[in-house]
Amino acid sequence: MGYQYEFKDEIVGERIILKRHPLTFEMARNLFQVVDLSRDCLGVFLPWVQKTLKPEDSFSFLVSAEADWKNKTKAQYGIFNRETQEYMGIASVVHFNEFDSAEIGYWLGTAFQRKGYMQEAVRLLEKEFLPNLIHLIIRNDVDNLRSANVAEKLGYHKDGIIRSALKYPDGHYGDINVWTKLRSEWEKEQSV
């Protein structure tokens, strides 16, 4: 099921801009470079990193992301520094379903972590998507403390843990935290 509203091509924040990825090889090289420089950090929790071996792999991702965008099944935004236009990572809204729910996924290159960029990105996604959904979900490996900190600091409710829910390339399974924020909770935050 797709999202019934249009995705904005850009969502502008205070320090970042979330942008629809241009379908260019230059964008694929930028994306690949951030992944490659962050491989040791990202690869621990993101199984797709091991399959991203060259810029062509990133270009294939961009082609897929553009198709998902057109079908309104996934809104995968590049995170760009508002001042320098430097590419930093991805913040996405995916898994739209008939229950007016969707899931947020995100990652940042190592050089951009621990600076509050991801909290800003998630707030921008909430502002754009929560008015039309009943809630947003964030899932993260229980050992991914940085991802969990984003959800916790932004007031997401920890609903529980799904055991052995994520299979990694080496064959082991990870447990996953499930966090949610209701539209009503978000609206209350906005009124304060």
Side-chain angles (χ1 to χ4, degrees):
M1 175 180 164
Y3 188 61
Q4 60 185 0
Y5 305 96
E6 292 300 316
F7 296 152
K8 286 186 180 173
D9 286 344
E10 285 189 2
I11 306 171
V12 179
E14 185 178 318
R15 298 183 304 146
I16 64 170
I17 300 175
L18 302 182
K19 293 184 188 179
R20 179 181 187 174
H21 287 95
L23 188 54
T24 66
F25 203 71
E26 179 183 356
M27 181 70 254
R29 280 193 298 270
N30 290 338
L31 171 55
F32 177 77
Q33 182 179 18
V34 173
V35 170
D36 202 40
L37 290 172
S38 307
R39 192 170 295 281
D40 291 342
C41 178
L42 296 177
V44 173
F45 298 113
L46 302 172
W48 56 264
V49 170
Q50 290 185 17
K51 297 177 185 176
T52 306
L53 304 175
K54 55 191 182 296
E56 290 79 4
D57 297 329
S58 294
F59 188 76
S60 294
F61 164 77
L62 294 177
V63 169
S64 175
E66 181 63 17
D68 291 335
W69 188 284
K70 288 181 178 176
N71 292 328
K72 296 201 272 182
T73 56
K74 295 181 183 176
Q76 304 214 53
Y77 288 96
I79 304 170
F80 294 82
N81 183 293
R82 184 172 172 179
E83 185 177 320
T84 66
Q85 295 301 305
E86 186 174 19
Y87 186 78
M88 299 190 290
I90 292 178
S92 306
V93 181
V94 301
H95 303 157
F96 295 96
N97 64 46
E98 68 272 17
F99 305 111
D100 296 326
S101 175
E103 185 173 329
I104 293 178
Y106 47 77
W107 64 267
L108 276 174
T110 306
F112 311 107
Q113 295 177 6
R114 296 182 174 249
K115 297 177 181 169
Y117 291 124
M118 192 53 72
Q119 289 179 48
E120 183 177 349
V122 172
R123 280 190 197 104
L124 291 171
L125 293 177
E126 290 173 355
K127 184 177 180 183
E128 181 62 28
F129 290 92
L130 260 179
N132 301 313
L133 297 170
I134 193 66
H135 70 258
L136 284 169
I137 302 165
I138 294 176
R139 298 174 197 260
N140 66 280
D141 187 297
V142 295
D143 293 325
N144 189 344
L145 301 180
R146 289 185 184 169
S147 180
N149 284 340
V150 170
E152 193 170 25
K153 286 180 181 178
L154 293 176
Y156 280 71
H157 179 267
K158 186 174 177 183
D159 294 345
I161 295 173
I162 303 174
R163 296 178 296 160
S164 297
L166 180 61
K167 186 175 182 179
Y168 287 96
D170 67 2
H172 89 276
Y173 289 84
D175 296 344
I176 293 180
N177 290 320
V178 179
W179 308 82
T180 58
K181 183 179 279 189
L182 300 175
R183 179 176 59 215
S184 60
E185 294 167 336
W186 176 79
E187 288 171 343
K188 187 175 180 180
E189 291 173 359
Q190 304 312 298
S191 66
V192 174

